[in-house]
Amino acid sequence: MKKNNSDINLRIEKLREEIRRHDHLYYVLAQPEVSDAKYDELYAELKKIEDENPHLITPDSPTQRVGGAPTKEFQNVTHSIPMLSLSNTYSEEDIRDFDKRVNGLLEGRQYSYVCELKFDGVSLAIRYENGILKSAITRGDGVQGDEITQNVKTIRSVPLKLNISSTLPRNCEIRGEVVMNHTDFNKMNEEKELTGEKLFANPRNSVAGTLKLQDPQIVGTRPLRFIAYLLLDQLNDGNHFDNLHKLKQLGFLVDTNAKRFDDIEGVINFWKEWEIKRESLPFDIDGIVVKVNSLRQQEMLGAIAKSPRWAIACKFKSRKADTILLDIKLQVGRTGTITPVAILEPVKIGGTMVSRASLYNEDYIREKDIRIGDTVVVERGGDVIPKVTSVLFENRKKTSVPFIFPKKCPECKSKLVRFDDEANYYCENSECPMQIRGRIIHWAARGAMDISGLGDAVVDQLVSNEFVHNVADLYDLFKFRDKLKSLERWGEKSVDNLLDGIEKSKSREFNRILFALGIRHVGSSISQVIVDHFSTIEELMKVSVENLQNINEIGPKIAESIVRYLSDPHNKKVVTRLKAAGLKMASQRNKKSGPFQGKNIVLTGSLSNFTRDQAKELIESLGGKVSSTVSKNIDILVVGLDAGSKLEKAKKLGIETWDEEKFLSIINLHKKVTDV
Ligand code: IVH
């Protein structure tokens, strides 16, 4: 029966409400109620109804977060009220002075303060009209900023529609900070490292860089969060603390650490406490912000030049320091990546002694014109490794010379190579002791084979005493039990522990092994993708670069790297030995069976009974694989309406083509058979 319009409208609204509620539970409250699969199901249903009824799509629909077309240039717009900055204070005395000024200007009236964390991100103004997100604007110069609405819509902690009630505003502007958590930042940089892309220096830079991207689709993949700290509406007689509560009710993330104080002593203690507690936060803060609570009093106090008189920032001790760059050493990673490291005259930064810092790569050193002997600025942020961020050129000695990147590996002296499109140099000698060490440490690591008893120091001893040259040697170590016991600081118990840990690692799944092998550009998620498509190592060893690229998530770099790794005779031997030692070189998951078993299928044109995602899911559930491009390895091309070049190519290659009817009939036939 065909559904009538009001049924459809009701269902759409119900789905949108449900999805909004789950987004809020997940992204704002961090208390999800349903599984990802259930969420995806709701989303897919909404998307399907909207695809079929495009006139019912509204800008506040959860499907409209991503989908905006890339922008060529952002519009420059004027802020409703200028976005002021805060004056900074750095000492207890400064904070007391601020309080004296407030006290004087308020002429003996009672007042209180709200203290909040000062988030180290990028500030943003978001306008809502009748409860619907209308525009989002960067701070810019404070008077005018860039309109980046499409990008901001992809941030899941920004509601597209406010949670409205009679006590909450519908027409308002929300100001706050976009931040990125340390773990998300590190993960993102690790992935960038795997694909050889430029790394971001710190979470704030990565937020700023992301918000400026012209493609909202990419912005949507970046883990940004928006924390609201100001509510601007028509009501000026309330107070800021209540506004923070309103912001929370409207659906925003707010600072749950915010506190109200009646005197400046409380403010000073809050500042001192957070200077220490900042380490435990998942994101960077660079101080606290103190605001006079009453909005009327804020208005009375007003602003001078570019900052308000009713608020100040109380900054923490700097996480930056100047020191001398004594030397630049090269570090060799497990895949042979060479990383230059700054050796510094030790300096205390935020309570920690720092004597080494990252210099990333040759281009970074050249761009910043960093030279040995220079006075450099070193920064430490969150749990990120310290890095050299700039040079104090005024201190540069006339005799200084630019750093010439060494041409040989500092460990094994083999020639270093740099590929055209990559920033790093590599040591290509896979027998380089530092690479062996790195590969074994990676093999034993948590997310990989997770071998207890095989820490860095143990690996050092095993490699330097030539017990192991590769990961397969670990599984022969039991033959050398007695010799191991005689190693310095080793005994019966530690040897047993190690051998036991190695034995246990034999039960790890195939995807973990693939990740643990340390193939360049193959992280844990790509390993999972590979296992989804190839159930044994033999299958994977036979695949060509071209075929691998048929998998959506695998681009040319990853494909080439996998094939190069698995065709190397030395690596082949290691893999064979690992299999012989009893490691699981095949996926244990039940292979899906059905009419598409073993078939490689491409979809083209639009299907009338399914969305692309639904068709893909169906094929996979019936044993098939879906690829995105037509090549000679494709078995079937399913052709919908308005098919283009894929159909032509398939015809040329003589590939079997099915129309939607045939596709449906095969599925239905299978259903009939299995339903009996
Ligand atoms: S209130 C009138 N609250 O600090 C000032 N700002 O220089 C309104 N910031 O650009 C700002 N955390 O990006 C406020 N809890 C917080 C904040 C905060 C970070 C940033 C904001 C602003 C800068 C002030």
Side-chain angles (χ1 to χ4, degrees), residues 546-547 550 602 629-635 649 653 655:
E546 193 201 8
N547 271 3
N550 279 331
V602 171
T629 45
V630 174
S631 71
K632 62 180 187 321
N633 306 299
I634 298 301
D635 300 294
K649 192 166 176 196
L653 292 170
I655 290 167

Side-chain angles (χ1 to χ4, degrees), residues 82-88 115-124 139 175-179 227-230 240 244 255 285-291 306-308 310-313 315:
M83 282 183 90
L84 302 180
S85 58
L86 296 166
S87 37
N88 291 327
C115 290
E116 292 162 28
L117 304 183
K118 186 171 186 303
F119 307 101
D120 197 5
V122 173
S123 52
L124 197 67
R139 180 172 184 279
R175 292 185 177 176
E177 200 87 349
V178 184
V179 298
I227 305 174
Y229 55 60
L230 273 189
H240 177 64
L244 286 180
D255 178 10
I285 59 171
D286 57 349
I288 63 158
V289 179
V290 186
K291 299 172 184 171
K306 287 194 172 142
S307 38
W310 49 266
I312 45 156
K315 302 284 282 263

Side-chain angles (χ1 to χ4, degrees), residues 125-383:
I126 312 180
R127 289 184 201 164
Y128 287 85
E129 280 172 27
N130 212 8
I132 309 291
L133 189 154
K134 277 285 168 260
S135 61
I137 308 154
T138 62
R139 180 172 184 279
D141 61 7
V143 178
Q144 289 188 318
D146 287 336
E147 201 240 84
I148 52 163
T149 314
Q150 289 307 326
N151 285 352
V152 172
K153 275 185 159 185
T154 68
I155 305 174
R156 302 303 190 102
S157 44
V158 171
L160 298 183
K161 184 179 179 194
L162 297 175
N163 211 350
I164 296 176
S165 77
S166 57
T167 51
L168 297 173
R170 295 166 168 269
N171 296 306
C172 53
E173 183 167 321
I174 315 295
R175 292 185 177 176
E177 200 87 349
V178 184
V179 298
M180 191 184 283
N181 279 358
H182 296 139
T183 42
D184 290 331
F185 168 75
N186 289 333
K187 212 168 126 206
M188 200 181 84
N189 257 358
E190 275 164 27
E191 278 162 21
K192 278 186 169 287
E193 200 164 13
L194 279 173
T195 48
E197 286 174 70
K198 260 197 174 167
L199 307 187
F200 282 120
N202 55 43
R204 178 161 39 81
N205 286 4
S206 87
V207 172
T210 301
L211 288 177
K212 270 193 240 141
L213 289 174
Q214 259 133 13
D215 187 350
Q217 307 261 6
I218 305 176
V219 180
T221 65
R222 301 272 174 88
L224 302 180
R225 274 158 213 269
F226 176 75
I227 305 174
Y229 55 60
L230 273 189
L231 167 63
L232 306 178
D233 64 357
Q234 310 308 320
L235 306 169
N236 288 333
D237 58 351
N239 67 63
H240 177 64
F241 203 65
D242 289 346
N243 275 358
L244 286 180
H245 185 64
K246 281 189 193 169
L247 284 169
K248 192 170 165 197
Q249 286 179 314
L250 286 168
F252 290 93
L253 263 174
V254 289
D255 178 10
T256 50
N257 301 296
K259 271 196 179 155
R260 210 174 29 176
F261 296 103
D262 287 331
D263 61 25
I264 203 67
E265 299 311 318
V267 171
I268 291 167
N269 286 335
F270 186 91
W271 173 61
K272 286 184 179 164
E273 261 172 44
W274 278 104
E275 168 114 48
I276 299 163
K277 287 202 288 190
R278 69 192 292 200
E279 306 285 347
S280 62
L281 287 169
F283 43 75
D284 284 340
I285 59 171
D286 57 349
I288 63 158
V289 179
V290 186
K291 299 172 184 171
V292 168
N293 191 23
S294 150
L295 301 187
R296 275 188 189 280
Q297 289 178 346
Q298 287 186 4
E299 206 175 288
M300 285 166 67
L301 290 162
I304 27 153
K306 287 194 172 142
S307 38
R309 285 201 199 86
W310 49 266
I312 45 156
C314 311
K315 302 284 282 263
F316 297 140
K317 269 189 222 87
S318 172
R319 294 251 192 162
K320 282 186 205 172
D322 307 343
T323 189
I324 310 282
L325 175 64
L326 300 174
D327 198 0
I328 297 178
K329 287 250 160 75
L330 301 189
Q331 210 168 283
V332 191
R334 67 182 161 83
T335 55
T337 320
I338 303 289
T339 315
V341 177
I343 309 298
L344 307 164
E345 195 164 281
V347 61
K348 211 168 189 178
I349 311 179
T352 309
M353 276 312 247
V354 173
S355 55
R356 291 162 79 86
S358 177
L359 282 168
Y360 299 108
N361 52 48
E362 183 184 32
D363 295 347
Y364 187 84
I365 299 174
R366 192 179 310 134
E367 276 159 25
K368 305 243 166 200
D369 189 16
I370 298 168
R371 303 181 186 185
I372 295 171
D374 276 350
T375 306
V376 291
V377 179
V378 183
E379 272 186 50
R380 199 170 74 84
D383 57 356

Side-chain angles (χ1 to χ4, degrees), residues 37-108:
K38 178 74 201 162
Y39 178 92
D40 292 346
E41 209 177 279
L42 293 170
Y43 192 92
E45 187 185 343
L46 175 62
K47 184 89 178 62
K48 180 167 183 272
I49 306 180
E50 288 186 346
D51 284 348
E52 288 164 358
N53 304 278
H55 60 287
L56 297 179
I57 300 175
T58 55
D60 63 321
S61 171
T63 58
Q64 302 307 296
R65 283 201 181 271
V66 187
T71 10
K72 283 227 169 57
E73 225 171 83
F74 298 121
Q75 292 272 355
N76 209 245
V77 286
T78 306
H79 288 292
S80 57
I81 303 173
M83 282 183 90
L84 302 180
S85 58
L86 296 166
S87 37
N88 291 327
T89 59
Y90 297 90
S91 67
E92 204 174 311
E93 203 188 336
D94 287 349
I95 302 175
R96 286 186 199 285
D97 281 350
F98 164 75
D99 181 48
K100 277 183 207 141
R101 277 197 305 276
V102 168
N103 199 358
L105 288 162
L106 291 179
E107 297 171 333

Side-chain angles (χ1 to χ4, degrees), residues 529-546:
V529 170
I530 297 173
V531 170
D532 288 343
H533 287 77
F534 303 91
S535 42
T536 66
I537 190 82
E538 287 79 12
E539 257 182 60
L540 183 62
M541 280 172 139
K542 273 190 239 147
V543 77
S544 66
V545 173
E546 193 201 8

